[in-house]
Amino acid sequence: MMLKLLIHVLFCVTVSAGVEIDPNGYILYCPCMGRFGNQADHFLGSLAFAKALNRTLALPPWVEYRFGEPKSVQVPFSHYFELEPLLKFHRVVTMEEFMENIAPKVWSPEKRTAFCYMARGQGTDCNAKEGNPFGPFWDTFNVDFVQSEFYGPLNYDVHHQDMARKWNSRYPSQKSPVLAFTGAPASFPVQLENKDLQKFLVWTPRIVNRAIDFIRNVLPIGAFIGIHLRNGVDWTRACEHLEHSPNLFSAPQCLGYRNEFGIASQDMCFPTPDAIAKQVKLAVKEYHAKSVFVSSDNDHLIPFLTKALKRMEVTVHKLANPEPHVDLAILGRANYFIGNCISSFTAFAKRERDANGLPSGFWGFPSNKASATKQKHEEL
């Protein structure tokens, strides 16, 4: 009995080079859907999933797609976010540290299994490395899979149906020390129960300092309004699907997960410049703002908004060399924020502001019709 206890203790806390091994196992995944906003939604769900299964989460690098690059670029998780706040919620380790110091002990090359719900692509296995960014992601860490495991009918909703117990019963850590998923073990958009985990995502000093430097040295003294505009060609096409997808992308953040607050409209997804100017003017008046900061994937509308706000003596600004993460850090510090209800990029800013008790709004929501109906109901 004492010998078994000693072996267990040694396994739990010591391996060569002083690396601590989690006897409850690890979760790895490729953040292979969409850009930063989508990946962030998936991260919150994956963090909740790891917590529920009581496994350490290996923090994957962020997958980025850069102009002129034939393959995705993997940026270490810690390049944008601090690890310490996450550790207050659950055990995490960077993917880099896991592969260098832990994988040799618990995930040898001949035992690497890819987990997926069902066969992916051509063939009868997960094809975990087929396509971009799947292949480049795992190649970053020299990972090849020797077999596939289909985990259906299990799912990632650990808040219902006793799902965590079912996962641990089917895949105990003693037999499956590493669960490596072809995609994030999470839903998109982020599940309602996981939204509050945003408070554990804290920008690194590099990002924070750049945001504060811009606010102090570029924006005039006084309150400012932060806005997010989605108006690229790809977004125009996405908005065309609203009629058949009333809860498109991140729409639940304002419409509710069951459309209890209405359905998405073109005014919300792709507001006209005039509608944007009108809503910004109202916000400027309410918060006595001196400037407006614009984040956009395409057209920042700087000349248009500058002209529209000229009489109010309000200036309009953007980063000279826009960087999405710094944009988000600035938006998170605005006195008031207006974003796109359908966008997961807006959703990130909104969740961060919610965590800090700051006010936010959305383009075209609530609609004038909805506002009139609500006012009439209240009068009755």
Side-chain angles (χ1 to χ4, degrees):
M1 186 68 181
M2 288 298 294
L3 180 60
K4 287 184 178 179
L5 179 62
L6 178 60
I7 292 174
H8 177 72
V9 171
L10 289 172
F11 179 68
C12 287
V13 299
T14 59
V15 295
S16 62
V19 177
E20 187 172 325
I21 298 297
D22 185 352
N24 297 301
Y26 296 84
I27 289 175
L28 280 62
Y29 74 92
C30 174
C32 290
M33 190 196 89
R35 297 180 184 271
F36 177 78
N38 295 37
Q39 292 175 42
D41 270 46
H42 270 160
F43 171 74
L44 297 183
S46 300
L47 182 62
F49 182 76
K51 172 83 169 180
L53 270 61
N54 195 28
R55 288 174 175 258
T56 295
L57 177 63
L59 302 172
W62 300 96
V63 174
E64 298 187 357
Y65 306 90
R66 298 175 183 173
F67 182 76
E69 294 282 350
K71 299 178 180 179
S72 63
V73 176
Q74 282 59 245
V75 180
F77 188 94
S78 56
H79 185 68
Y80 298 127
F81 297 102
E82 297 279 88
L83 301 189
E84 227 174 276
L86 289 168
L87 288 168
K88 293 178 181 179
F89 176 72
H90 187 57
R91 303 183 305 279
V92 296
V93 62
T94 65
M95 186 76 165
E96 292 78 8
E97 183 180 343
F98 173 84
M99 291 305 302
E100 181 177 351
N101 299 319
I102 300 174
K105 309 298 177 183
V106 301
W107 204 44
S108 55
E110 68 275 9
K111 295 181 180 179
R112 292 177 180 174
T113 300
F115 284 73
C116 56
Y117 187 85
M118 58 189 294
R120 173 178 170 270
Q122 301 296 320
T124 57
D125 59 28
C126 291
N127 288 309
K129 297 181 65 175
E130 180 181 321
N132 183 35
F134 299 92
F137 176 85
W138 294 111
D139 283 342
T140 300
F141 302 100
N142 297 313
V143 170
D144 288 306
F145 295 98
V146 298
Q147 60 183 352
S148 296
E149 172 67 23
F150 304 140
Y151 58 78
L154 298 180
N155 61 59
Y156 310 135
D157 183 4
V158 292
H159 300 286
H160 305 93
Q161 304 173 353
D162 199 21
M163 192 54 62
R165 183 194 61 78
K166 293 177 181 177
W167 273 96
N168 287 332
S169 175
R170 183 165 168 181
Y171 301 113
S173 59
Q174 295 82 0
K175 294 183 178 179
S176 302
V178 176
L179 303 181
F181 294 95
T182 55
S187 61
F188 177 82
V190 61
Q191 196 171 346
L192 179 63
E193 292 86 348
N194 300 330
K195 288 174 64 177
D196 289 345
L197 297 183
Q198 180 79 32
K199 62 188 175 185
F200 298 107
L201 269 180
V202 178
W203 297 111
T204 59
R206 183 185 72 87
I207 299 293
V208 171
N209 291 339
R210 286 193 60 187
I212 292 176
D213 180 70
F214 179 86
I215 294 170
R216 288 178 177 174
N217 300 315
V218 177
L219 300 184
I221 296 174
F224 76 97
I225 306 300
I227 68 174
H228 175 222
L229 304 177
R230 282 300 307 262
N231 50 28
V233 175
D234 63 328
W235 192 252
T236 305
R237 294 169 181 161
C239 292
E240 293 173 356
H241 297 287
L242 280 181
E243 184 180 350
H244 305 292
S245 303
N247 243 355
L248 185 67
F249 301 150
S250 293
Q253 67 177 319
C254 66
L255 298 175
Y257 283 77
R258 296 178 299 279
N259 285 112
E260 56 265 39
F261 303 118
I263 58 174
S265 67
Q266 286 296 327
D267 290 339
M268 294 165 55
C269 194
F270 207 102
T272 65
D274 286 340
I276 291 169
K278 181 179 180 180
Q279 206 164 330
V280 169
K281 285 180 180 179
L282 291 174
V284 165
K285 288 180 180 178
E286 183 174 354
Y287 290 89
H288 306 287
K290 300 298 182 182
S291 62
V292 174
F293 171 74
V294 186
S295 171
S296 177
D297 63 323
N298 182 50
D299 186 355
H300 291 74
L301 296 182
I302 299 295
F304 176 82
L305 289 173
T306 296
K307 183 178 180 180
L309 298 170
K310 185 176 182 180
R311 289 186 179 181
M312 302 179 79
E313 298 183 343
V314 170
T315 55
V316 185
H317 307 263
K318 70 179 183 70
L319 286 175
N321 298 298
E323 181 182 336
H325 309 89
V326 179
D327 272 7
L328 282 169
I330 295 172
L331 293 175
R333 287 164 172 74
N335 296 80
Y336 186 68
F337 167 64
I338 309 173
N340 191 306
C341 171
I342 316 300
S343 165
S344 59
F345 189 88
T346 278
F348 186 99
K350 174 67 162 56
R351 289 193 302 267
E352 181 177 21
R353 294 177 63 80
D354 286 349
N356 293 317
L358 297 174
S360 305
F362 302 98
W363 304 118
F365 179 84
S367 65
N368 292 331
K369 182 178 179 181
S371 298
T373 302
K374 180 180 179 183
Q375 183 177 355
K376 185 176 180 180
H377 176 74
E378 290 174 347
E379 289 173 352
L380 293 173

